[in-house]
Amino acid sequence: MPHPPRLDEQVCFPLYAASRLVIRLYQPLLEPLGLTYPQYLVMMLLWEDASLTVSQIGQRIYLDSSTLTPLLKKLEDKALIVRKRRPGDERVVEVSLTKTGKALGLEAIHIPERLFARIGFPPKEALQLRSSLKRLIARLEMT
Amino acid sequence: MPHPPRLDEQVCFPLYAASRLVIRLYQPLLEPLGLTYPQYLVMMLLWEDASLTVSQIGQRIYLDSSTLTPLLKKLEDKALIVRKRRPGDERVVEVSLTKTGKALGLEAIHIPERLFARIGFPPKEALQLRSSLKRLIARLEMT
DNA sequence: GTCTATCAAATTGCGTGCGATTTAATCGTA
DNA sequence: TACGATTAAATCGCACGCAATTTGATAGAC
């Protein structure tokens, strides 16, 4: 019996809902650092690699310059990063951590465990969920 | 050895990334119906229950009136729904399907399977992912 | 060397999300 | 039956996301 799509039967909706609900939980943890969740993602990349181009950041978190440019400007206003055109290829903008931005990484160290404690999801299932999501993302990247 | 949070180790990021990537895949399927993804979610609810209040919709998809009001007005502009204050309690707004809106449900019947085909994710793993996400959402709802 | 194609960011316009506040209606209780 | 509390939507301000276009710089073909 064919019928119009039902919310309960979808896979995408729980993805969308869970994503937004978890980001809401992050909020009170990120607020003391003065970061939004997408800003936090960019900072995480830079805490690992202190300098990246806009494109490299975009490839890692699946955002393009139309989203990143304003976001990066906000991080620059907060003095967490600097943006500099690459000498020798002025098309490329290099984003790098400032001392303040690097220091913020230390303040963020306990965020993941605090978030995890709040959710109270079984660690085993969390790991399995993550690996399942990563396989899904790998498939989505192909298309 | 404590270190700043790393993107690879997070559970939330794959959630956020997968959600956005899947929504992107929906786009070309929804475009012929003239719907965005969140609008599609609302329509799915109404295809099941032809009349719901703004609050009821919000509870089901975790959005509040500040997001829903403008979205519902757009659906009304497209003549897919009507919004009417409830006689007897003027605080409540009843959202109901128009004939056009109901008819659109038939055009949407094959969207889920077409999307699923595009992703090419093993059905077994998809079901397991969905149930895991639903458990996660249940935990998130408690807080 | 010039001219076109390509490339990286930036810009623009629109649709969410969401915290915070406002508006209007109803409820509860003295 | 007043009147403060509560409730449901709406409004406002700000920060994403993303399609489409623009801007400016470099690369390639001739």
Side-chain angles (χ1 to χ4, degrees):
Chain A
M1 189 74 156
H3 55 73
R6 291 175 188 159
L7 197 65
D8 278 348
E9 299 172 354
Q10 309 307 309
V11 178
C12 182
F13 172 65
L15 220 44
Y16 163 82
S19 165
R20 283 175 34 238
L21 292 173
V22 174
I23 288 174
R24 269 184 221 175
L25 270 197
Y26 265 105
Q27 260 255 151
L29 304 181
L30 293 177
E31 199 261 20
L33 309 194
L35 295 176
T36 65
Y37 182 72
Q39 289 169 11
Y40 173 62
L41 293 181
V42 171
M43 292 305 291
M44 272 197 280
L45 288 178
L46 291 168
W47 289 328
E48 244 183 299
D49 292 329
S51 182
L52 290 168
T53 69
V54 173
S55 297
Q56 286 172 330
I57 294 172
Q59 279 163 24
R60 294 286 299 277
I61 58 180
Y62 312 103
L63 290 171
D64 72 2
S65 68
S66 61
T67 300
L68 285 175
T69 298
L71 188 156
L72 293 171
K73 282 181 180 172
K74 281 178 198 101
L75 291 178
E76 194 169 34
D77 290 344
K78 298 189 232 260
L80 299 176
I81 64 166
V82 289
R83 300 182 315 132
K84 235 199 176 85
R85 295 209 171 257
R86 174 184 291 171
D89 190 345
E90 297 272 324
R91 289 175 302 183
V92 179
V93 168
E94 311 258 26
V95 178
S96 20
L97 276 185
T98 60
K99 273 206 171 58
T100 313
K102 189 173 158 59
L104 198 67
L106 302 177
E107 293 182 50
I109 283 180
H110 297 295
I111 288 186
E113 65 202 56
R114 287 176 62 199
L115 184 88
F116 199 75
R118 281 200 191 204
I119 299 184
F121 205 53
K124 221 176 198 159
E125 192 167 357
L127 284 178
Q128 197 231 317
L129 175 60
R130 184 175 72 186
S131 82
S132 188
L133 287 170
K134 284 187 176 181
R135 275 195 296 283
L136 172 59
I137 291 169
R139 286 215 69 88
L140 291 168
E141 271 182 326
M142 290 183 200
T143 52
Chain B
M1 188 73 156
H3 56 72
R6 290 176 189 157
L7 197 65
D8 277 348
E9 299 172 353
Q10 311 305 310
V11 178
C12 182
F13 171 66
L15 219 46
Y16 164 82
S19 165
R20 284 175 33 238
L21 291 173
V22 174
I23 289 173
R24 268 184 223 175
L25 270 198
Y26 266 105
Q27 260 257 147
L29 303 181
L30 292 177
E31 200 261 17
L33 309 194
L35 294 176
T36 65
Y37 182 72
Q39 289 169 9
Y40 173 61
L41 294 181
V42 171
M43 292 304 292
M44 273 197 282
L45 289 179
L46 291 168
W47 288 327
E48 246 182 299
D49 292 328
S51 183
L52 291 168
T53 69
V54 174
S55 298
Q56 285 171 331
I57 294 172
Q59 280 164 21
R60 296 285 300 275
I61 59 180
Y62 312 103
L63 289 171
D64 71 3
S65 67
S66 61
T67 300
L68 285 176
T69 298
L71 188 156
L72 294 171
K73 282 182 179 171
K74 282 180 196 93
L75 292 178
E76 194 170 34
D77 290 344
K78 297 189 234 263
L80 301 175
I81 64 167
V82 290
R83 299 181 316 133
K84 235 197 178 83
R85 294 208 172 259
R86 173 183 293 171
D89 190 344
E90 296 273 325
R91 290 172 303 181
V92 179
V93 169
E94 311 258 24
V95 178
S96 21
L97 276 185
T98 61
K99 274 207 170 58
T100 315
K102 189 172 157 62
L104 197 67
L106 301 178
E107 292 182 50
I109 283 179
H110 297 296
I111 288 186
E113 64 202 55
R114 287 176 62 200
L115 184 88
F116 199 76
R118 280 202 191 200
I119 299 184
F121 204 53
K124 222 177 197 160
E125 192 166 358
L127 284 179
Q128 196 230 316
L129 175 60
R130 185 175 71 185
S131 81
S132 189
L133 287 171
K134 284 187 175 179
R135 275 195 297 280
L136 173 59
I137 291 169
R139 287 215 69 89
L140 292 168
E141 272 182 326
M142 291 185 201
T143 52

